[in-house]
Amino acid sequence: MTSEAGLLLHARELRCERGGRAVCTPQSFSVCAGQALWLRGRNGSGKTSLLRVLAGLAAPAGGDLWRAPHTGILYAGHQNAVKDDLSLFENLQFLAQMGQLQGSDTEVQAALRQWGLWAARHRPARVLSQGLRRRLSLARLSLAEQRALWVLDEPFDALDDDGVSVLIAQMYAHHVRGGATVLSSHLSWPAGAAEPAQHWLHPQGAPS
């Protein structure tokens, strides 16, 4: 397809498989700069499979997927990708290195402060609660300003109210910069936060 102003991603009749089996009905939607798209659906409806296809981590089973040329993508999966034996500071440095993100000491320090983790920066990750592990994993968003498309799988899981507020603020700033977010969540959208566009997924074989 031809590029439209601000269009970052377009899916048309996109199909996904897991273990060789179709998991959702064909999906069609677009995502433009400054937008967030909330993928919704019951367990097993294919949200994670679709997110992985959008992020380029899995191939679609059919249909068309177009991304704007040179669009950088950050994928944050449901698993936290935190290493127990590393400190919080070392973990975030590792995540930045693995994701080829901005990762200078100054930038990592700023990210830890933004996510309320600075006081614990020298502690090993093994002692963290699930909520703090989730914060640490998501702190890479603060290092990903150059990635236009954020693809986030259940980012609100285990976060307390303060963590949710930080995440919402990070996404809002990202959208103001001209980025976009595609995310899944089984939780209700946080009260007081502008609700993004919603796209419902239906399991393969279910009525759409």
Side-chain angles (χ1 to χ4, degrees):
M1 63 172 291
T2 59
S3 175
E4 300 175 12
L7 184 63
L8 295 179
L9 180 147
H10 177 73
R12 184 173 64 86
E13 295 294 305
L14 191 65
R15 296 191 294 276
C16 304
E17 292 182 348
R18 182 172 59 241
R21 298 182 62 182
V23 292
C24 60
T25 56
Q27 305 296 310
S28 299
F29 52 83
S30 296
V31 180
C32 294
Q35 292 183 338
L37 182 66
W38 179 14
L39 300 182
R40 305 193 65 182
R42 71 190 193 200
N43 290 343
S45 60
K47 298 186 296 296
T48 294
S49 297
L50 179 57
L51 288 173
R52 288 180 56 82
V53 168
L54 298 181
L57 299 176
D64 297 315
L65 176 61
W66 179 91
R67 303 183 192 90
H70 313 300
T71 296
I73 299 174
L74 172 73
Y75 175 77
H78 195 202
Q79 300 299 318
N80 288 322
V82 170
K83 293 187 173 294
D84 286 346
D85 293 336
L86 298 182
S87 70
L88 275 68
F89 194 97
E90 292 168 335
N91 260 290
L92 193 49
Q93 284 184 316
F94 174 77
L95 288 171
Q97 181 180 11
M98 292 298 294
Q100 298 182 324
L101 306 175
Q102 304 157 201
S104 70
D105 286 355
T106 300
E107 289 164 330
V108 171
Q109 290 171 15
L112 290 171
R113 292 183 188 277
Q114 285 178 326
W115 286 86
L117 298 170
W118 179 249
R121 63 192 180 278
H122 296 309
R123 297 172 64 187
R126 74 169 69 90
V127 305
L128 298 181
S129 67
Q130 281 300 110
L132 291 180
R133 292 172 74 90
R134 193 58 175 158
R135 283 199 195 204
L136 178 58
S137 179
L138 291 170
R140 75 185 97 166
L141 298 179
S142 298
L143 308 175
E145 292 185 2
Q146 305 305 316
R147 301 296 178 90
L149 183 64
W150 291 357
V151 180
L152 312 179
D153 193 0
E154 299 287 352
F156 296 109
D157 271 13
L159 290 181
D160 59 13
D161 289 346
D162 288 342
V164 168
S165 295
V166 175
L167 175 56
I168 290 290
Q170 289 279 302
M171 288 194 293
Y172 177 77
H174 181 56
H175 302 156
V176 170
R177 290 191 299 267
T181 303
V182 182
L183 73 155
S184 65
S185 180
H186 67 280
L187 303 174
S188 298
W189 198 257
E195 193 169 295
Q198 299 181 38
H199 181 81
W200 284 88
L201 278 67
H202 300 279
Q204 181 68 22
S208 59

